[in-house]
Amino acid sequence: MPMAKAVDLAAVFQPGDVTDPGQGARWVLVRLARRIQHLNAEITEFDTTQRQLVIATTPGRTLLIRPGVGPDTAAALLCAAGDNLDRMHSEASFAALCGVSPVEASSGRSTRHRLNLGGDRRANNALWWIVVTRIRIDTATKAYVQRRMTEGKSKKDIIRCLKRYIAREIFRILRHTA
């Protein structure tokens, strides 16, 4: 039985004498189910309000039409960018702000890069969610991942490259709409 259906069913139980252990457990179950319903309603209300706030900004409206970008990720990226977009002079500065600028992590035997551990972690996480979503739904991203895997890149390196690419794309949107 799906969880939502089980919660709806449990919320309408009518417990009897709560001194009976079985009825006491049923009483607790009813209270928990009603609390879950209340919290779900709050989450829905919050999501609606957040979407309206993101749409109220010009860059946010433009971000939401990009594949993989939802209200949560758009809000995190808009917060990272802040009110003054002029402080970011280049794509590289926005990438550093989001913690996706490449940092050389080479040893004597290999040349490679790793992600920057600095920057806004929420923005970095938003970029990660966009990458993961695009890997699942976007055919161009799927083809890119497949091509890079045949080149011998690891999944971690591919995600790092995609995060930087998406940071560039978002920077252009933010600068263009500012």
Side-chain angles (χ1 to χ4, degrees), residues 24-101:
R26 184 177 250 187
W27 182 83
V28 170
L29 186 62
V30 168
R31 297 294 172 252
L32 288 174
R34 289 180 184 164
R35 180 74 178 140
I36 289 169
Q37 287 177 331
H38 176 71
L39 291 173
N40 283 338
E42 270 187 48
I43 290 169
T44 303
E45 180 183 353
F46 173 76
D47 287 345
T48 303
T49 304
Q50 184 181 33
R51 178 176 282 282
Q52 290 170 348
L53 289 171
V54 168
I55 289 173
T57 66
T58 305
R61 194 174 321 122
T62 309
L63 283 175
L64 286 178
I65 62 173
R66 304 300 308 151
V69 180
D72 293 337
T73 54
L77 293 168
L78 288 170
C79 287
D83 287 339
N84 186 7
L85 295 175
D86 295 333
R87 68 189 173 113
M88 291 180 292
H89 300 289
S90 65
E91 295 171 351
S93 64
F94 182 69
L97 178 71
C98 293
V100 294
S101 57

Side-chain angles (χ1 to χ4, degrees), residues 3 22 33 39 48 55 67 70 77 92 103 118 122 132 134 138 140 142 152 154 161-162 164-165 167:
M3 182 61 76
L39 291 173
T48 303
I55 289 173
L77 293 168
V103 175
R122 287 180 50 222
V132 169
R134 284 189 182 184
D138 189 37
K142 287 178 187 178
S154 69
C161 293
L162 284 169
R164 179 62 194 261
Y165 172 79

Side-chain angles (χ1 to χ4, degrees), residues 143-154:
Y144 175 82
V145 170
Q146 199 63 6
R147 182 174 52 96
R148 294 302 293 246
M149 287 187 103
T150 58
E151 292 173 1
K153 293 281 187 188
S154 69

Side-chain angles (χ1 to χ4, degrees), residues 74-139:
L77 293 168
L78 288 170
C79 287
D83 287 339
N84 186 7
L85 295 175
D86 295 333
R87 68 189 173 113
M88 291 180 292
H89 300 289
S90 65
E91 295 171 351
S93 64
F94 182 69
L97 178 71
C98 293
V100 294
S101 57
V103 175
E104 194 168 324
S106 302
S107 67
R109 296 181 189 176
S110 66
T111 303
R112 64 179 203 84
H113 292 87
R114 66 168 174 80
L115 284 178
N116 184 353
L117 298 178
D120 187 334
R121 304 315 303 159
R122 287 180 50 222
N124 190 296
N125 184 259
L127 290 172
W128 184 84
W129 275 110
I130 294 169
V131 166
V132 169
T133 303
R134 284 189 182 184
I135 287 173
R136 275 188 308 134
I137 65 168
D138 189 37
T139 55

Side-chain angles (χ1 to χ4, degrees), residues 2-18:
M3 182 61 76
K5 192 172 184 176
V7 167
D8 290 341
L9 182 64
V12 295
F13 282 161
Q14 294 297 322
D17 181 20
V18 294

